Amino acid sequence: MSTAKPGSHHHAHHYDNAEHEYQSSKEGVWLFLCTEILMFGGMFVAYAIFHHLYPELFKVGSKFTDVRYGATNTVVLLFSSLTMALGIYYCQMKEQKKAVIALAATIVCGFIFMGIKYLEYTHKIHLGLLPGDWYAGNAELIAAEVGNLKIPDNIGLYFSFYFLMTGIHGIHVLIGMGLIGWVLVRTMKGEFGPGYYTPVEGVGLFWHLVDLVWIYLFPLLYLVS
């Protein structure tokens, strides 16, 4: 299905027509998403290898995550996928006010997600639960957190994966929020409608991928024990 209709959007000069522009844009977005999948896939493979080598390490490391925070963020991102889909739909239907509300709600969900990640990060930094050689766990604070749990010497490896995977994912959330803000402004200007909504659809695909990655990160990092 084309998102371009004559008169509603003028395609760029290097495309044959609006349909050519739409198909090329969508293929470009999917190609970009494939590179993203390869990047996160590499991290998941590394996680699987080290988890196989040090299963007890990851079990202990997950004790320092808060399932309530992780579950809340999962619900928030799933809801944001719904509001993003609604934003695309309302843009297609030329229902500008509803589209603006849906896209704004998606951005709010992003802020909630990052706010919770901020709380998690600051708490871990306070306990000295840092990645790799930077690990400087405070024994008293850790005992108060998880009791007399034997901490493996290489526990910093778990937090290397934790901060790397959630950090890169968080950067993608921030980028997604910026992109949604961009299409939100264009929606407020009335630039999208039944004949043209390609940018909103492309940003929506990116946001759904970000949500999907978190669906895998949550059990791997929070529920591994």
Side-chain angles (χ1 to χ4, degrees), residues 84 91 96-108 177-192 200 203:
M84 187 70 229
C91 282
Q96 185 176 350
K97 186 175 293 184
K98 291 181 180 178
V100 168
I101 293 173
L103 293 174
T106 308
I107 295 177
V108 170
M177 291 167 63
L179 291 172
I180 295 170
W182 170 60
V183 294
L184 172 62
V185 171
R186 294 186 65 179
T187 302
M188 294 171 68
K189 293 179 179 177
E191 295 185 14
F192 303 123
V200 190
V203 171

Side-chain angles (χ1 to χ4, degrees), residues 104-132:
T106 308
I107 295 177
V108 170
C109 289
F111 275 114
I112 294 172
F113 180 90
M114 293 308 298
I116 291 176
K117 289 312 298 178
Y118 171 78
L119 294 176
E120 288 189 283
Y121 277 13
T122 52
H123 182 61
K124 285 178 175 54
I125 293 171
H126 175 66
L127 295 179
L129 305 177
L130 300 173

Side-chain angles (χ1 to χ4, degrees), residues 10 92 96 146 198 220-221:
H10 298 289
Q92 293 172 336
Q96 185 176 350
V146 295
T198 306
L220 288 178
L221 296 173

